[in-house]
């Protein structure tokens, strides 16, 4: 045997390691579940989001499937579980309930079928006029479009939770005139591990205190991230309808949302999530601010958040911006102060490069 430091050999080191493993308490034995997901042709499904669910319906863990269609859950407590799998363009799959005993490893196979309702076949006029709370009833066109948007948002929220990407971003601030021409611009770059390239507030805070908030010095305008759009408090206070793009050549369908109007004293948002009708992938979200002061209200005050599926199956926000009003105040002939919009301040950012923890680049732009 080859000798190592302190006169020990590799064979003795391995023997000592084996003894140490045998002496570990039984509670350290890890229960695991491995899930293999295949599609209609029995080929592995890459980038599907798998959820491990306990008997109460709570999500214990989630994971994305790899190139072989596998998702692994380790270190879970002994219990009974089900696994639900979501994949854009495919119907949701779920296993029967199964038991995981102490020290046990369980394998589960799931076959996903192509989604029965294709977005290309949805007629916007049929339900475009209805604004529906929590579009979850099966068979409704609104529910079908929301289900595809939900899958992408869930994957984006999962990516944020991982925080495993190193982003290089460019952040800009622009001053625009009333015709949105750029008068001045400043750019800064930053790099590092981030949960998401832009920051939002928790959904409960935004719904309670507004998407526009005054911190005593200035007005702060917030954009929603994926977690906000998926939250119960957002779904309970906004309704959804279908929308058609003004560009007739664009193969897109929109899922528009607006506040229910129960609290018009708090600034809110309305907007549209745009999906590709062929792939069912979420492309971007555009939004505007509602219930802000009439003097500064404008259709040009709002923002946009783009979404992009990465080669690893995760989803990121590659670009975003918010456009805010520049406000001046004058006194009228009767001495009454009047506020009006003189231009816009637009802040935004782009992801220039994404790298994994090991350093591998996942793309540049």
């Amino acid at each position: 045997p080859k000798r190592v430091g302190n006169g020990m050999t590799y064979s003795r080191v391995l023997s000592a390691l084996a003894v140490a493993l045998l002496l570990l308490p039984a509670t350290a034995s890890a229960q695991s579940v491995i899930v293999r997901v295949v599609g209609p042709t029995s080929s592995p499904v890459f980038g599907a989001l798998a959820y491990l669910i306990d008997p109460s319906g709570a999500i214990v863990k989630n994971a994305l499937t790899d190139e072989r269609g596998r998702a692994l859950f380790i270190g879970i407590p002994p219990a009974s579980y089900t696994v639900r799998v979501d994949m854009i363009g495919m119907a949701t799959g779920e296993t029967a309930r199964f038991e995981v005993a102490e020290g046990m490893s369980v394998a589960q196979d799931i076959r996903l079928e192509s989604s029965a309702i294709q977005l290309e076949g949805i007629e916007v006029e049929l339900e475009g006029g209805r604004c529906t709370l929590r579009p979850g009833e099966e068979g409704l066109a609104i529910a079908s479009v929301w289900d595809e948007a939900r899958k992408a948002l869930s994957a984006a929220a999962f990516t944020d939770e991982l925080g495993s990407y190193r982003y290089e971003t460019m952040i800009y601030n622009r001053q625009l005139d009333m015709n949105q021409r750029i008068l001045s611009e400043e750019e800064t770059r930053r790099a590092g591990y981030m949960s998401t390239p832009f920051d939002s507030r928790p959904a409960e805070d935004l719904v309670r205190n507004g998407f526009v908030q005054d911190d005593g010095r200035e007005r702060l305008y917030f954009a929603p991230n994926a977690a906000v759009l998926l939250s119960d408090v957002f779904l309970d206070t906004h309704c959804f309808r279908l929308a058609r793009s003004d560009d007739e050549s664009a193969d897109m369908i929109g899922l528009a949302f607006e506040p229910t109007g129960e609290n018009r004293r708090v600034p809110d948002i309305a907007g549209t999530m745009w999906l590709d009708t062929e792939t069912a992938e979420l492309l971007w979200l555009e939004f505007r601010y509602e219930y802000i002061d009439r003097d500064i209200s404008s259709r040009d005050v709002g923002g946009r958040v783009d979404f992009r599926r990465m080669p690893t199956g995760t989803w990121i926000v590659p670009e975003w911006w918010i456009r805010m009003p520049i406000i001046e105040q004058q006194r009228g002939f009767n001495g009454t102060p009047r506020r009006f919009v003189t231009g816009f301040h637009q802040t935004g950012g782009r992801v220039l490069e994404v790298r994994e923890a090991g350093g591998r680049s996942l793309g540049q732009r």
Side-chain angles (χ1 to χ4, degrees):
K2 190 175 180 180
R3 189 167 297 277
V4 295
N6 297 326
M8 293 184 67
T9 63
Y10 277 130
S11 60
R12 290 181 181 177
V13 171
L14 292 175
S15 298
L17 180 59
V19 171
L21 290 174
L22 289 174
L23 292 177
L24 286 174
T27 54
S29 59
Q31 295 72 230
S32 64
V33 174
I34 184 168
V35 181
R36 182 173 179 270
V37 183
V38 298
T41 61
S42 298
S43 57
V45 176
F46 173 48
L49 190 54
Y51 303 89
L52 186 68
I53 303 171
D54 68 14
S56 69
I59 296 174
V60 179
K61 288 189 176 185
N62 52 9
L64 286 170
T65 56
D66 61 15
E67 293 87 347
R68 297 184 181 182
R70 301 171 304 179
L72 179 63
F73 305 104
I74 60 174
I76 58 176
S80 61
Y81 297 100
T82 58
V83 174
R84 188 180 75 239
V85 178
D86 281 341
M87 182 63 187
I88 293 171
M90 295 185 179
T92 297
E94 188 166 349
T95 67
R97 187 162 298 281
F98 57 90
E99 295 291 331
V100 178
E102 186 173 344
M104 183 178 179
S105 295
V106 178
Q108 293 285 311
D109 291 336
I110 299 180
R111 177 184 293 273
L112 300 183
E113 301 296 337
S114 296
S115 182
I117 300 178
Q118 298 298 320
L119 299 187
E120 293 175 301
I122 292 178
E123 291 294 333
V124 173
E125 290 80 3
L126 293 178
E127 296 185 87
R130 297 179 53 188
C131 198
T132 304
L133 273 171
R134 287 190 170 270
E137 186 178 342
E138 293 184 5
L140 292 178
I142 296 175
S144 299
V145 179
W146 163 246
D147 195 43
E148 297 304 324
R150 176 190 61 79
K151 295 173 186 176
L153 292 172
S154 297
F158 173 76
T159 305
D160 284 350
E161 292 174 3
L162 287 177
S164 58
Y165 287 153
R166 185 181 187 277
Y167 294 97
E168 181 186 351
T169 61
M170 184 274 287
I171 307 298
Y172 65 83
N173 284 280
R174 296 172 179 167
Q175 303 299 315
L176 311 175
D177 64 15
M178 291 298 292
N179 295 315
Q180 299 182 27
R181 290 189 293 259
I182 299 176
L183 301 178
S184 63
E185 181 176 25
E186 294 180 353
E187 294 183 0
T188 58
R189 296 198 179 195
R190 62 177 182 172
Y193 288 95
M194 311 173 202
S195 60
T196 181
F198 80 97
D199 297 324
S200 185
R201 288 277 180 91
E204 293 76 10
D205 177 31
L206 293 174
V207 171
R208 181 177 62 252
N209 300 317
F211 282 82
V212 181
Q213 300 181 17
D214 194 334
D215 69 349
R217 296 174 300 172
E218 59 182 348
R219 288 197 167 198
L220 305 176
Y221 291 74
F222 295 100
N225 60 13
V228 169
L229 297 171
L230 288 168
S231 67
D232 287 336
V233 67
F234 186 87
L235 295 174
D236 287 339
T237 54
H238 294 77
C239 61
F240 297 79
R241 62 164 56 94
L242 298 182
R244 184 185 298 280
S245 173
D246 293 333
D247 184 0
E248 296 183 357
S249 63
D251 296 327
M252 297 187 302
I253 189 168
L255 184 65
F257 61 87
E258 62 188 55
T260 57
E262 296 178 1
N263 189 0
R264 293 176 177 267
R265 295 174 298 177
V266 177
D268 211 317
I269 58 169
T272 305
M273 290 178 271
W274 293 102
L275 290 80
D276 187 304
T277 55
E278 182 177 353
T279 65
E281 291 189 350
L282 179 61
L283 302 174
W284 71 80
L285 157 72
E286 57 188 13
F287 64 93
R288 64 185 183 278
Y289 294 97
E290 300 281 344
Y291 310 150
I292 58 178
D293 296 346
R294 183 176 300 177
D295 292 342
I296 61 175
S297 179
S298 168
R299 302 289 291 187
D300 295 324
V301 177
R304 170 168 161 157
V305 180
D306 288 17
F307 296 90
R308 177 184 172 192
R309 187 173 188 264
M310 302 300 291
T312 56
T314 54
W315 283 73
I316 69 165
V317 172
E319 188 168 356
W320 62 273
W321 55 263
I322 301 175
R323 187 183 299 124
M324 301 156 281
I326 298 174
I327 305 168
E328 291 190 6
Q329 183 169 297
Q330 292 182 346
R331 292 189 177 274
F333 294 107
N334 59 358
T336 303
R338 174 180 173 270
R339 297 187 305 169
F340 59 96
V341 178
T342 60
F344 302 97
H345 173 208
Q346 182 167 315
T347 182
R350 300 187 185 97
V351 173
L352 305 178
E353 185 173 18
V354 185
R355 289 185 177 274
E356 291 180 318
R360 182 169 69 106
S361 176
L362 298 180
Q364 295 176 317
R365 56 176 301 166

